[in-house]
Amino acid sequence: MTIYICKSLISLSLKNSSHLNKTPICLLSLRFFSSSPRTPIAVADYLLNRHKFSTETASKVSSIVKYVKRPEETDSILSFLQESGFSDSHLELLIKRMPRVLSANLERTIKPKIKFFQDLGFSSSDSAEIVSSNPWILTTSVDNRLGPSILALKSVLGSNMDDVSRILKKSGRLLTFDLVKTLIPNVDFLKSCGICSSQIARCVCTYPTTFTLKPTKIRECVKRVDEMGIDRKSKLFLHAIRAISSMTKENWELKLELLKSLGFSEDDILSVFRRQPKVFTVSDRKIKEITQLFLSTGKCDISYVVNNPDLLCRSVENKLKPRLRVLEVLESRNLLLKMPSLGTVCRITDKKFFEKYVLPYSNEVGELFVVKKTSLKAEICA
């Protein structure tokens, strides 16, 4: 094949001698071979053998992208990210979530975004965590979206970049929203409702995506919360907005129907919402399971659940069931002088529960609390 090419080049040179007086045959030959495309490498082989990625990552990425077309350029991308503070776990997470990073333009797409976070004062590890968890940031414009959105967050939270960093590590996809058109008008409206800036800032830190809703949606939610009788000065007002905004009206109606089927009256439902709006963000399965769990003890009725709605937000398997089972055994063996309030028992810390209801009766109930026992004993002894 090589001989054939060379003969073809010589023949061409005889026909175009004037042109080749300027360009030697050997240079034409070099140009021919250097312009031939590099051989692509199968993604799985590239990740496993060339960069020692996990089998899981290689398998997932190769199901989306089959080949690395320019291995040397992809090497440069991975090297740059490593030099910028990305650990192996960051890189694995990044390419699993966005395999096309492997073929991105390093100079135009990746470097400007990393530099953007560095210039703002983010640490290398924070930048890596934010980008790897939400790699869509790499496709977002610095000037039109990232920069204005960061400024919007800072205007609400203050100049403390630690708060901004915490929010973005928790929900980096915030930067894919236009916060100038959502966050800012929503915050301004809530302030006009009499809600203080510090309370809004705390809620932004806890539930940031709520503030990415359209301003018309937030206004509608405020109206509904007002109609349900929660005072705007109450700390629960913003939580109520978040609860209502998290579901469609159809899902809201389904939640009401569920509560009614469990024995809650309309007044009970309103009372639960006013006391603990968060209940309405809990899954239907969990609400049903916890309600039935307390009713099955024979020690409380629906009114007890209504008066202690925060119990509906507790962990069933890790907190409620083990504790109620311990109390059941202690009571059946007459080891309790006085039956404690179920609400109190379910609210105290694991350490206090262990010290009061498990440690003194370890022979009777120790095995029921074995999951928590080891760590709690170590904590107590310390």
Side-chain angles (χ1 to χ4, degrees):
M1 179 67 178
T2 303
I3 294 174
Y4 171 77
I5 294 172
C6 290
K7 285 183 177 180
S8 299
L9 288 170
I10 292 170
S11 175
L12 180 65
S13 69
L14 294 175
K15 295 178 180 178
N16 301 280
S17 57
S18 60
H19 173 72
L20 290 179
N21 285 336
K22 300 178 182 178
T23 308
I25 294 174
C26 61
L27 184 55
L28 278 176
S29 178
L30 287 173
R31 284 179 179 173
F32 179 89
F33 287 111
S34 64
S35 63
S36 61
R38 298 184 181 91
T39 304
I41 301 177
V43 164
D45 291 338
Y46 177 84
L47 295 178
L48 289 171
N49 301 324
R50 194 152 168 166
H51 288 282
K52 310 304 179 186
F53 280 83
S54 69
T55 304
E56 178 197 355
T57 298
S59 176
K60 183 169 184 178
V61 174
S62 63
S63 68
I64 301 172
V65 178
K66 300 303 179 185
Y67 295 99
V68 175
K69 296 181 179 179
R70 298 179 179 83
E72 290 77 12
E73 292 181 14
T74 303
D75 288 343
S76 298
I77 290 171
L78 295 177
S79 295
F80 171 76
L81 291 173
Q82 286 176 324
E83 292 166 2
S84 300
F86 283 67
S87 64
D88 290 345
S89 59
H90 287 141
L91 289 176
E92 298 230 2
L93 181 60
L94 176 66
I95 66 170
K96 277 196 293 187
R97 292 194 169 189
M98 185 176 279
R100 61 192 174 110
V101 165
L102 296 173
S103 59
N105 187 298
L106 178 59
E107 297 298 327
R108 291 201 303 267
T109 302
I110 296 177
K111 282 187 177 182
K113 312 307 170 19
I114 301 302
K115 184 177 184 301
F116 170 74
F117 285 106
Q118 291 173 341
D119 290 346
L120 283 173
F122 287 90
S123 68
S124 296
S125 59
D126 283 354
S127 298
E129 187 171 346
I130 292 167
V131 173
S132 61
S133 298
N134 303 274
W136 302 274
I137 288 172
L138 294 175
T139 66
T140 306
S141 167
V142 170
D143 294 332
N144 297 330
R145 183 60 57 84
L146 296 182
S149 291
I150 290 288
L151 289 176
L153 275 173
K154 287 180 66 177
S155 71
V156 174
L157 302 176
S159 58
N160 189 345
M161 289 304 294
D162 289 339
D163 288 338
V164 175
S165 178
R166 271 194 296 273
I167 290 178
L168 295 182
K169 284 190 287 186
K170 175 183 177 182
S171 183
R173 71 189 185 96
L174 274 178
L175 295 181
T176 62
F177 292 94
D178 190 339
L179 299 186
V180 174
K181 293 182 179 179
T182 55
L183 175 70
I184 297 302
N186 284 336
V187 168
D188 288 343
F189 172 66
L190 292 171
K191 285 181 180 178
S192 74
C193 293
I195 303 171
C196 66
S197 299
S198 59
Q199 191 177 344
I200 293 173
R202 284 194 298 272
C203 198
V204 170
C205 289
T206 309
Y207 306 113
T209 54
T210 299
F211 294 83
T212 64
L213 296 172
K214 293 181 179 180
T216 52
K217 174 72 173 179
I218 293 296
R219 289 174 180 272
E220 178 189 335
C221 291
V222 167
K223 181 181 178 181
R224 290 175 63 188
V225 173
D226 283 339
E227 291 171 349
M228 297 184 77
I230 296 183
D231 193 326
R232 290 185 176 185
K233 295 181 180 179
S234 168
K235 293 180 180 180
L236 295 175
F237 191 81
L238 286 176
H239 294 283
I241 292 174
R242 184 242 170 182
I244 288 181
S245 68
S246 68
M247 65 184 80
T248 64
K249 289 185 177 180
E250 291 76 14
N251 288 336
W252 175 266
E253 292 299 327
L254 290 174
K255 188 77 72 176
L256 298 184
E257 291 302 317
L258 169 70
L259 292 170
K260 290 177 182 178
S261 72
L262 293 172
F264 292 82
S265 68
E266 290 189 3
D267 287 342
D268 290 337
I269 294 172
L270 189 59
S271 177
V272 168
F273 184 80
R274 289 171 177 170
R275 290 168 179 265
Q276 187 56 269
K278 185 180 178 181
V279 167
F280 288 76
T281 66
V282 174
S283 71
D284 290 357
R285 180 194 58 77
K286 184 174 180 178
I287 290 175
K288 184 175 181 179
E289 186 174 6
I290 293 177
T291 300
Q292 293 177 339
L293 178 65
F294 277 101
L295 295 181
S296 68
T297 65
K299 300 185 186 320
C300 55
D301 54 16
I302 283 294
S303 64
Y304 185 85
V305 179
V306 171
N307 291 324
N308 297 273
D310 59 296
L311 297 179
L312 294 170
C313 304
R314 308 282 169 169
S315 170
V316 181
E317 300 299 329
N318 295 328
K319 191 175 292 290
L320 300 182
K321 282 186 176 180
R323 294 189 181 193
L324 293 178
R325 178 59 180 153
V326 166
L327 288 184
E328 181 184 350
V329 172
L330 293 179
E331 184 182 27
S332 67
R333 298 180 185 181
N334 297 315
L335 295 173
L336 295 174
L337 295 177
K338 181 182 178 182
M339 188 65 182
S341 162
L342 295 182
T344 300
V345 167
C346 292
R347 290 188 185 96
I348 60 177
T349 64
D350 286 338
K351 180 180 178 180
K352 287 184 178 180
F353 182 85
F354 181 79
E355 290 175 332
K356 190 168 185 177
Y357 298 107
V358 178
L359 193 58
Y361 315 103
S362 56
N363 292 334
E364 289 82 5
V365 298
E367 72 282 359
L368 298 176
F369 217 67
V370 68
V371 175
K372 298 289 184 181
K373 188 174 180 179
T374 302
S375 62
L376 287 169
K377 284 187 73 174
E379 184 179 352
I380 292 167
C381 293

